[in-house]
Amino acid sequence: MPASESTGAADDAGREDDVGAGQEWGSTLYRVAADQFDRAGALLDLEPEFVTRLGHPRRSLVVNFPVRLDSGQVLGLTGYRVQHTLTMGPTKGGFRYGPDVSLGECAALAMWMTWKCALLGLPYGGAKGGVRCTPGELSVGELERVTRRYAAELIPVIGADRDIPAPDMGTGEREMAWFMDTYSQMVGHSVFEIVTGKPVALGGTTGRREATGLGVVYVTEAVCERIGLDLREARVAIQGFGNVGAVAAAELSAIGARVVAVSDTSGGIVDHDGLDIAAVARWVAVHGVLADYPHADHLGPAEVLEVPCDIVIPAALEQQITEHNADRLQCQLVVEAANGPTTPEGEVILRSRGILVVPDVLANAGGVTVSYFEWVQDHQRYSWDELDVRERLRRQLRAAFTRVTDAADRLDCDWRMAALSVAIERVAEAARVRGIYP
Ligand code: NAD
């Protein structure tokens, strides 16, 4: 297969301003990821060879495919899979469904997956994929057909030891089960280890569903110990009440922290004395969204970031803390549960105000770490119990945080640059000793 099978980002027309030659991955998010890589590379004095080898995705696949709707009409969809580096082993990363999914977005997220896996010491390169669609407008049957066709389209580039997808925004256990079944039908036998984040009945691991949110809490605990903040006394505001945000909220309130605000697409709710997160979760389970929750004050979905508190956890989507609102955050710590929630401009303002940022590649690495545990268990045909999963996750994340703080001291930089530096050094060293084929 050639280095890039991309058909270019012409499919993104209407979203990207300028998609000239060599700009295939152009998107705001990709520029953020590339800018971070450039800055960490400069800090490390990274040799130009490794800037060339790691600065762009190694392989991209863009597919257009038809799906028959329940009405009988045919919907044309575009799907992506981007593999950032093939140096570290198979690639790993989720696939998402959303109206803004693009090649550039997948490329940025794939690069972050590489750094996340390297920081955590997992034997993977980064990947990411997705289908541009609006899942809320599709029936269950239509979503199944989208997922099965997308899985079939990816056959040339995926495999249990080549590229292992997982859930991301808009996808979950259900989609992973369809994906696993489709792949297994095509190769003629059950291959549990082709995806992670599966139902336990199909070789999923206990603890995967909660892993990212739980990991956010384990990292936050370690950070609080370091900066002398008592997490059990802390007030926390969380943007996003999905797989990551709702679990983080539940775990935080279980250990005694006061979750004062949460939000979803329908809006935000706030109670300065602390929300009853179990009651909020029950409300969402029945009504689907936070809107009209009766026991709190209401505010806009982004305003939750500006509520006075100790810790803000963006756990919704990218580019939420920007030059337009960073000066209004009233906290001492931002823990990036979402991928890329802070723009470079927003981060400059946070830094100037002394607000610490725990970078996404560390804060939300619990998901891929437990995905790795799932993959290992699938290969071993042996299941670990939940306590085992949780303890290993906590140990692995705390060790990664120590690597980050050690690098921050050594390189005299913030935690994001430290985390990226540790990761880039690892991948560059592997690339160095592997050399270049031929
Ligand atoms: P999800 O789809 O389960 O939940 C997303 C939540 O954010 C929902 O509550 C949604 O209503 C809310 N939301 C969306 N737009 C919003 C807005 N503008 N304002 C406020 N809330 C908004 O997704 P998730 O799996 O929880 O993922 C959240 C973030 O965490 C994403 O950035 C994802 O890439 C990242 N992440 C997820 C995992 C994982 O294992 N699920 C792992 C690593 C990183």
Side-chain angles (χ1 to χ4, degrees), residues 96 109 116 128 167-170 208 212 239-245 263-266 301-302 315-318 320 337-339 364 367-368:
R96 51 173 58 186
L109 294 162
K116 206 176 292 185
K128 205 71 165 197
D168 197 85
M169 283 169 71
R208 174 61 185 90
T212 307
Q239 184 196 37
F241 201 69
N243 182 19
V244 180
S263 69
D264 65 13
T265 42
S266 74
L317 66 175
E318 300 80 21
Q320 295 301 296
N339 284 309
N364 68 33
V368 68

Side-chain angles (χ1 to χ4, degrees), residues 114-354:
T114 293
W115 310 143
K116 206 176 292 185
C117 293
L119 175 64
L120 268 292
L122 311 179
Y124 299 129
K128 205 71 165 197
V131 177
R132 186 161 57 244
C133 63
T134 307
E137 293 175 1
L138 298 171
S139 69
V140 173
E142 289 165 346
L143 281 170
E144 178 170 354
R145 292 196 286 282
V146 170
T147 305
R148 288 187 181 279
R149 181 62 187 251
Y150 175 64
E153 296 285 340
L154 293 196
I155 293 283
V157 296
I158 58 172
D161 291 303
R162 297 182 74 191
D163 183 7
I164 307 114
D168 197 85
M169 283 169 71
T171 59
E173 285 186 4
R174 182 183 62 179
E175 286 73 18
M176 297 309 115
W178 291 330
F179 195 103
M180 176 264 163
D181 182 68
T182 304
Y183 184 85
S184 299
Q185 297 293 343
M186 299 194 84
V187 299
H189 60 101
S190 295
V191 185
F192 294 125
E193 55 272 36
I194 182 61
V195 282
T196 57
K198 301 177 293 291
V200 171
L202 287 182
T205 182
T206 55
R208 174 61 185 90
R209 198 178 306 151
E210 303 80 20
T212 307
L214 196 58
V216 169
V217 177
Y218 289 158
V219 171
T220 306
E221 264 174 357
V223 172
C224 286
E225 281 167 26
R226 184 170 169 101
I227 66 172
L229 177 67
D230 186 350
L231 187 53
R232 285 159 308 171
E233 298 290 317
R235 293 160 307 151
V236 188
I238 303 176
Q239 184 196 37
F241 201 69
N243 182 19
V244 180
V247 171
E251 287 291 327
L252 284 164
S253 62
I255 60 176
R258 242 187 308 157
V259 179
V260 293
V262 296
S263 69
D264 65 13
T265 42
S266 74
I269 54 173
V270 61
D271 181 340
H272 296 285
D273 294 327
L275 294 159
D276 178 346
I277 291 299
V280 175
R282 280 196 299 275
W283 175 269
V284 171
V286 174
H287 299 91
V289 287
L290 291 167
D292 302 326
Y293 177 72
H295 309 298
D297 295 327
H298 287 256
L299 66 178
E303 283 172 61
V304 77
L305 300 168
E306 299 165 23
V307 167
C309 62
D310 301 294
I311 305 169
V312 164
I313 303 183
L317 66 175
E318 300 80 21
Q319 305 187 77
Q320 295 301 296
I321 302 174
T322 68
E323 73 268 37
H324 303 299
N325 63 357
D327 57 345
R328 294 201 297 272
L329 266 63
Q330 304 180 63
C331 60
Q332 44 178 316
L333 191 63
V334 170
V335 181
E336 294 186 332
N339 284 309
T342 313
T343 64
E345 298 77 15
E347 189 160 15
V348 169
I349 296 170
L350 295 183
R351 199 177 310 126
S352 73
R353 298 183 58 217

